[in-house]
Amino acid sequence: MRASETAYQLLRDEIIQWKLEPGTPLGEVETSLRLGVSRTPLREALSRLIAEGLVRTGPGRTAVVTSLSLRDIVELFELREALETQAARLAARRREPSVFEALRAEFLTGSRDASGASAEDRPYDLADALDVAIDEAAGSVYLQGALRDLRGHLARVRRSAHSNADRLARATSEHVLIVDAILAQDEALAASATSVHLHNSLANILASLPPEAAR
Amino acid sequence: MRASETAYQLLRDEIIQWKLEPGTPLGEVETSLRLGVSRTPLREALSRLIAEGLVRTGPGRTAVVTSLSLRDIVELFELREALETQAARLAARRREPSVFEALRAEFLTGSRDASGASAEDRPYDLADALDVAIDEAAGSVYLQGALRDLRGHLARVRRSAHSNADRLARATSEHVLIVDAILAQDEALAASATSVHLHNSLANILASLPPEAAR
DNA sequence: GAGCGAGCGTTTGTATACAAGGTAAAGTAC
DNA sequence: GTACTTTACCTTGTATACAAACGCTCGCTC
């Protein structure tokens, strides 16, 4: 694999998994030595991360890991609602029934065959699988591109707020509602069901981290 | 100005203004010589353009200017509708009245004071000013980022389809409708008015370039 | 003692040299 | 004559060396 790609993947993972906390400076020489690549491919990786919004250029042209305040989370969900409701609409219009029928069964039984992940990650895997299926069914390159960038930020949010069992059960039923709407090719309902899910999801996140307001 | 930034701006302008046609290969040595920069900053510029979607990597890792088919235009508008209706909603919620009152007056009189552009570009300037005002009023960094990327592609579409006087007049009235809804803080109406405008705009574009279906 | 300025050091920005990969063309064998 | 293989060139990928800009600190002056 190309060194620039390696550096990009490594840094992206570290940022999403909070191994690199917001505000961490990413000096070029230091980081390139740490990752075992030269400065040239590292700079390319940083460029991509900056374009993606996970890294920003701080004072003095230094690259630092982007912060993720409460306001950021709210704004992220405002963008997410715009993109995912549209994706749900388009998916309802163009979906391949078999894909979503399979997902529906998995949601109802809670199984996820091919996944080798741990039990506690399973609900997330299933939700991610639905996201991927909707993105693909929407069939828009540009929408998919915007969603891809968004997902990185959202993965970071997920790490900062954990769901309880009750929320997970409710989320599953919300997901089934979305799948049913897509299968019924009901665009308006698919969008509404997505909107409902996102509002509940955001409310759960906000409720789980009020003590420290700013991050 | 940094060489990488220069190269980025130059290439972006050339692509948007169709001076570089879709499919044009951007060999690193050739392009770097042409723009008068070294390969290193050029590669950074290309990275950004690839992330933005204006350039894609073709077979053999060569960079080529992205094509813009009829399908691309439709997909672009599907993304645009998602982003701009949401931006309009948020702008209606958070707008600064004076900004939009000023824009409303400009739309009705057709004037644009500070602009030094030619007469035929004026309607576009005004529409762009409204876009900027809405983006800022929406007050979401992430939404704004997604819109910024989108605008580059849309500028390219605009170049491939010209509006007649009739369409421009209708567009202006549609814009006034959007401004009024934002001023009235009617989020649903602002979104609907935006949706209407985008559908009409797309219909006009599609009608103006049917002869050659694929581009 | 405080504020301004100059110089040094560390940082990013750029260029070039080198390496590796992939593609196309040409030649040979079937 | 066609298909496959091999080789050579051209392209991109990486590393390193050099230049310039910025910040910080120390010293001088008011």
Side-chain angles (χ1 to χ4, degrees):
Chain A
M1 181 179 277
R2 305 201 314 261
S4 61
E5 184 69 20
T6 308
Y8 169 75
Q9 297 286 354
L10 285 173
L11 282 176
R12 190 171 190 273
D13 279 359
E14 286 179 340
I15 293 171
I16 288 176
Q17 295 174 8
W18 291 79
K19 287 172 185 168
L20 290 174
E21 299 239 333
T24 307
L26 298 173
E28 292 184 2
V29 289
E30 179 195 347
T31 308
S32 65
L33 286 176
R34 186 170 66 84
L35 300 182
V37 300
S38 169
R39 275 183 62 214
T40 309
L42 174 72
R43 281 175 66 90
E44 189 172 328
L46 286 177
S47 292
R48 292 175 62 181
L49 290 168
I50 289 169
E52 206 173 333
L54 291 174
V55 171
R56 68 169 226 276
T57 60
R61 280 280 178 292
T62 62
V64 300
V65 178
T66 308
S67 61
L68 194 62
S69 67
L70 208 73
R71 184 192 174 91
D72 284 314
I73 294 176
V74 173
E75 290 188 8
L76 229 25
F77 268 76
E78 287 169 356
L79 174 59
R80 186 182 186 184
E81 183 170 8
L83 295 176
E84 293 201 352
T85 53
Q86 178 74 316
R89 255 188 294 266
L90 297 177
R93 194 182 304 171
R94 303 165 181 162
R95 100 272 117 111
E96 184 71 41
S98 60
V99 178
F100 290 91
E101 278 161 6
L103 276 169
R104 187 175 195 281
E106 286 186 302
F107 270 115
L108 293 180
T109 63
S111 71
R112 185 95 252 262
D113 298 343
S115 167
S118 66
E120 76 174 24
D121 282 344
R122 194 173 299 156
Y124 288 138
D125 284 346
L126 204 42
D128 288 345
L130 176 58
D131 286 340
V132 170
I134 291 177
D135 294 358
E136 284 180 359
S140 167
V141 182
Y142 299 94
L143 185 60
Q144 224 164 332
L147 279 165
R148 190 172 43 74
D149 279 1
L150 179 69
R151 303 259 184 255
H153 293 274
L154 290 176
R156 213 151 69 115
V157 174
R158 182 188 286 175
R159 280 259 162 186
S160 71
H162 286 69
S163 301
N164 53 36
D166 185 51
R167 173 60 199 146
L168 288 177
R170 290 178 185 276
T172 297
S173 72
E174 289 164 13
H175 283 139
V176 172
L177 218 65
I178 295 171
V179 172
D180 283 342
I182 289 174
L183 279 170
Q185 297 202 300
D186 188 333
E187 296 186 21
L189 184 59
S192 298
T194 300
S195 187
V196 166
H197 172 59
L198 294 181
H199 275 85
N200 287 341
S201 181
L202 175 59
N204 176 71
I205 289 171
L206 294 183
S208 79
L209 47 73
E212 70 271 34
R215 201 181 257 273
Chain B
M1 181 179 276
R2 305 202 312 262
S4 61
E5 184 69 20
T6 308
Y8 170 75
Q9 297 286 354
L10 284 174
L11 283 176
R12 191 171 188 274
D13 279 358
E14 287 180 341
I15 293 171
I16 288 176
Q17 295 174 9
W18 291 80
K19 288 173 185 169
L20 289 174
E21 300 239 334
T24 306
L26 297 173
E28 292 184 2
V29 289
E30 178 196 347
T31 308
S32 65
L33 287 175
R34 185 169 68 84
L35 300 183
V37 301
S38 170
R39 275 183 62 215
T40 309
L42 175 72
R43 281 175 67 89
E44 190 172 326
L46 286 176
S47 293
R48 292 175 62 183
L49 290 168
I50 289 169
E52 205 174 334
L54 291 175
V55 170
R56 69 168 224 277
T57 59
R61 279 283 180 290
T62 62
V64 299
V65 177
T66 308
S67 61
L68 194 63
S69 68
L70 208 72
R71 184 193 175 90
D72 283 314
I73 295 176
V74 172
E75 289 188 9
L76 228 25
F77 269 75
E78 286 168 358
L79 174 59
R80 187 182 186 183
E81 182 169 11
L83 295 176
E84 293 201 353
T85 53
Q86 178 74 318
R89 257 187 293 266
L90 297 176
R93 195 181 306 169
R94 302 165 182 164
R95 100 271 118 109
E96 184 72 41
S98 59
V99 177
F100 290 91
E101 278 160 5
L103 276 168
R104 187 175 195 282
E106 286 186 303
F107 270 116
L108 293 179
T109 63
S111 72
R112 188 93 251 265
D113 298 345
S115 168
S118 65
E120 76 174 23
D121 282 344
R122 194 174 300 155
Y124 288 137
D125 284 348
L126 203 42
D128 288 346
L130 176 59
D131 286 340
V132 170
I134 292 176
D135 294 358
E136 284 180 359
S140 168
V141 181
Y142 298 95
L143 185 59
Q144 226 165 329
L147 280 166
R148 191 172 42 73
D149 279 0
L150 179 68
R151 303 259 185 253
H153 293 274
L154 290 177
R156 212 151 71 114
V157 174
R158 182 188 284 174
R159 280 257 163 188
S160 71
H162 286 69
S163 301
N164 52 35
D166 185 51
R167 172 61 198 144
L168 288 178
R170 290 176 185 278
T172 297
S173 72
E174 288 164 13
H175 282 139
V176 172
L177 218 65
I178 295 170
V179 172
D180 283 342
I182 289 173
L183 279 170
Q185 297 202 302
D186 188 333
E187 296 187 20
L189 183 60
S192 299
T194 301
S195 188
V196 166
H197 172 60
L198 293 181
H199 276 84
N200 288 340
S201 181
L202 176 58
N204 175 72
I205 289 171
L206 294 182
S208 80
L209 48 72
E212 69 271 36
R215 207 182 254 270

